[in-house]
Amino acid sequence: MAPDCQRKGIGAALMRVLDRLAREKGNTTLVVPSSVTAEGFYAKLGFKAVRDSYHGDERTIIMERAL
């Protein structure tokens, strides 16, 4: 997300919608691929890092949260 759009609640609002939709579909877990810089954002929403994934030299943190 662009820096001037951060810390305005947009990402958290989007995640609430995804959470609701996932629950409606019967999912029990949300899994997100996170950049290193977004890890804190997801952690504040209750996600836990479960493993790293690499695409070349780029590290992605796979995070999940029970619904």
Side-chain angles (χ1 to χ4, degrees):
M1 186 178 290
D4 60 329
C5 294
Q6 293 178 358
R7 300 196 183 278
K8 295 184 179 186
I10 298 167
L14 289 171
M15 291 305 296
R16 283 191 299 276
V17 171
L18 289 173
D19 183 277
R20 181 180 52 80
L21 292 171
R23 287 174 191 268
E24 287 175 3
K25 298 244 181 228
N27 292 296
T28 58
T29 306
L30 279 180
V31 179
V32 295
S34 173
S35 66
V36 174
T37 56
E39 183 178 11
F41 167 76
Y42 290 114
K44 287 179 185 175
L45 296 176
F47 286 84
K48 303 286 184 205
V50 292
R51 65 178 158 67
D52 290 340
S53 177
Y54 289 89
H55 303 279
D57 291 336
E58 184 177 338
R59 175 180 171 227
T60 300
I61 305 159
I62 307 302
M63 302 184 77
E64 66 179 41
R65 176 172 60 87
L67 295 175

